[in-house]
């Protein structure tokens, strides 16, 4: 039973969600986006260069646990994954000062991609 028409998406906006799911869920989500999006994909997520990556319990090469689970993104690998799914990368950046919040100034990646 479908609640939405999966061909009606002109934009997908993901802010700090992809770093909160494991890679298997990421792959399923990206595949769904590639199959159902008819426009732009906007992504923002914490980078492997984020200082919080070195804190807390190390779970894997890209995952840790502080107050909650996080998986840190590798910009080049994520771009390659998007391109393999047919996305054209329109914009990409990896830096700090893009999403400060209170005392936290995360090192993030931002991507705009088109399908």
């Amino acid at each position: 039973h479908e609640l939405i028409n999966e061909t009606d998406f002109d934009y997908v906006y993901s802010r700090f969600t992809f770093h909160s799911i494991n890679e298997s869920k990421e792959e399923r989500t990206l595949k769904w986006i590639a199959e159902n999006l008819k426009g732009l994909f906007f992504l923002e997520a914490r980078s492997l260069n984020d200082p919080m990556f070195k804190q807390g319990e190390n779970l894997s090469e890209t995952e840790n646990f502080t107050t909650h689970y996080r998986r840190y993104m590798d910009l080049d690998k994520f771009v390659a994954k998007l391109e393999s799914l047919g996305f054209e990368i329109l914009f990409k950046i990896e830096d700090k000062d893009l999403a400060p919040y209170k005392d936290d100034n995360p090192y993030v990646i931002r991507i705009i991609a088109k399908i």
Side-chain angles (χ1 to χ4, degrees):
H1 162 65
E2 274 184 56
L3 298 176
I4 55 178
N5 179 350
E6 293 182 353
T7 61
D8 287 342
F9 297 98
D10 296 321
Y11 306 99
V12 170
Y13 175 71
S14 171
R15 184 166 193 264
F16 294 139
T17 53
F18 271 77
H19 70 234
S20 66
I21 60 175
N22 65 33
E23 198 162 357
S24 172
K25 289 178 183 174
E26 173 190 289
E27 289 172 9
R28 285 196 329 253
T29 304
L30 288 177
K31 184 178 177 196
W32 183 92
I33 292 170
E35 291 171 354
N36 295 287
L37 179 64
K38 307 298 182 231
L40 298 176
F41 175 45
F42 302 89
L43 173 99
E44 183 171 272
R46 287 186 186 257
S47 161
L48 281 173
N49 293 313
D50 189 78
M52 285 190 69
F53 180 54
K54 306 294 184 208
Q55 299 175 11
E57 180 185 353
N58 182 16
L59 302 174
S60 77
E61 291 181 9
T62 59
E63 301 165 296
N64 79 349
F65 186 89
T66 53
T67 58
H68 60 280
Y69 169 87
R70 283 193 180 97
R71 186 171 55 89
Y72 297 81
M73 314 296 284
D74 179 305
L75 177 63
D76 293 332
K77 287 182 181 178
F78 199 81
V79 163
K81 191 178 288 188
L82 289 174
E83 289 174 334
S84 75
L85 291 167
F87 285 91
E88 174 189 356
I89 306 303
L90 303 177
F91 176 83
K92 64 181 180 176
I93 189 171
E94 180 177 17
D95 208 344
K96 60 181 180 174
D97 297 325
L98 298 173
Y101 178 72
K102 296 183 181 179
D103 293 333
D104 189 21
N105 188 8
Y107 210 95
V108 300
I109 64 170
R110 279 191 182 160
I111 298 172
I112 301 173
K114 179 180 173 183
I115 193 89

